[in-house]
Amino acid sequence: MKKNDKDNDTTVIAGRKPVQELLLDSPERIDLLYLQKGRQDKNFERTIQRCKKHGIKYKIADKTELGRIFPGNHQGIIARVAALSFADYDEILENLSESPLPLLIVLDQVQDPGNVGVLSRSLYALGGAGIVTAKHGGAFLGPAAVKASAGALNKLAVARVNNISQALDKAIDMGINIYGAGLDVDSTSAYTAEINLPAILVLGNEEKGIRFNVEKRCQKLIHIPFRREFDSLNVAQAGAMLISEFSRRVS
């Protein structure tokens, strides 16, 4: 059983059989699993184990809460599901050089699905390789993100990883250049910085920026220089401008 919730802009799948099939066939699509409080059967325990195996976040909720999420016969189990299929991160890294613009965007706790969608439009149009986000802590890539992307998210390679820092370490080991968007004292103007491709560009949270442990993996910080006093640009705006500069450097 499937439902699109326009108020929350999410997609949910409910019922034992549909959710179990999803767990077996496409566990990477599950953003959050709700299980009804009080269930203590073999299927319940098996589902918990599968969640732990695949790193899926789950919540034990009472029947009333489940009813608000899905008013039909949910049979005590509901999955909140992303609207896309996800690619393998290792494969994206291996094929990075083959993209018209060999640039991969890594999102560190970017929360707004609309920002991800708008950013995807720019990245896809300019030939970028794809987007990487964390399984937990980032924006839910449901209908809102897909709609804001004008369909670009369905064409781009999108991967979800358990740990952003470890994912960047893997890229560094492969000789891929890592750039971070930030305004620290050692940050360089994107228009004058030496930029080498293939590369990864890390964009941080809308308010807090890139986390310290993630920033440590960035070999260079770059920023958009302002000509007027202004607080900051929206992450989608700043990201699009930086992607454009990377595109300009393609030889």
Side-chain angles (χ1 to χ4, degrees):
M1 293 175 284
K2 183 176 179 181
K3 174 197 172 189
N4 288 329
D5 189 331
K6 293 182 180 179
D7 294 331
N8 296 318
D9 223 349
T10 60
T11 299
V12 297
I13 291 177
R16 292 175 189 172
K17 186 176 180 180
V19 174
Q20 292 302 330
E21 288 177 352
L22 192 63
L23 275 168
L24 289 172
D25 299 334
S26 304
E28 73 282 354
R29 291 189 61 207
I30 300 176
D31 182 69
L32 177 63
L33 198 67
Y34 295 91
L35 294 164
Q36 186 171 318
K37 185 177 181 180
R39 284 185 55 194
Q40 295 296 332
D41 53 45
K42 290 182 179 179
N43 286 331
F44 181 88
E45 296 300 330
R46 190 181 298 118
T47 300
I48 295 290
Q49 292 305 314
R50 285 175 179 163
C51 286
K52 292 178 178 178
K53 176 183 177 182
H54 296 292
I56 298 169
K57 186 164 58 174
Y58 64 91
K59 179 180 180 181
I60 309 298
D62 60 33
K63 190 174 181 179
T64 302
E65 183 176 356
L66 292 182
R68 285 196 297 266
I69 298 167
F70 190 90
N73 183 17
H74 50 68
Q75 299 177 310
I77 184 168
I78 299 172
R80 191 173 78 167
V81 181
L84 355 147
S85 297
F86 292 99
D88 182 77
Y89 175 67
D90 291 350
E91 289 184 8
I92 296 178
L93 292 183
E94 291 170 5
N95 299 322
L96 181 56
S97 297
E98 298 176 11
S99 297
L101 173 60
L103 175 68
L104 183 63
I105 299 296
V106 171
L107 303 177
D108 183 34
Q109 295 195 330
V110 172
Q111 300 289 323
D112 188 336
N115 282 335
V116 179
V118 171
L119 189 65
S120 300
R121 296 174 71 170
S122 301
L123 184 63
Y124 181 76
L126 292 176
I131 285 180
V132 177
T133 186
K135 288 185 177 179
H136 307 303
F140 174 60
L141 301 183
V146 175
K147 181 179 180 181
S149 77
L153 273 174
N154 288 319
K155 300 175 183 178
L156 274 173
V158 180
R160 295 201 301 180
V161 297
N162 289 319
N163 186 289
I164 294 291
S165 296
Q166 292 175 7
L168 292 177
D169 285 340
K170 185 174 291 187
I172 292 169
D173 290 342
M174 295 175 65
I176 297 170
N177 302 288
I178 313 291
Y179 299 88
L183 285 169
D184 288 2
V185 290
D186 57 346
S187 179
T188 305
S189 166
Y191 303 132
T192 58
E194 180 179 350
I195 290 177
N196 297 299
L197 295 159
I200 285 175
L201 173 62
V202 183
L203 300 174
N205 177 270
E206 289 88 345
E207 295 182 3
K208 300 177 181 178
I210 302 173
R211 290 174 296 168
F212 177 72
N213 283 338
V214 175
E215 187 178 291
K216 285 197 304 183
R217 270 77 177 179
C218 298
Q219 294 146 334
K220 183 176 289 186
L221 291 178
I222 57 176
H223 65 272
I224 303 294
F226 291 174
R227 297 187 184 277
R228 287 193 173 106
E229 289 294 327
F230 197 67
D231 182 24
S232 65
L233 293 173
N234 174 283
V235 67
Q237 294 171 324
M241 294 172 71
L242 291 172
I243 292 166
S244 178
E245 182 61 22
F246 276 85
S247 179
R248 194 178 68 84
R249 306 296 184 95
V250 175
S251 56

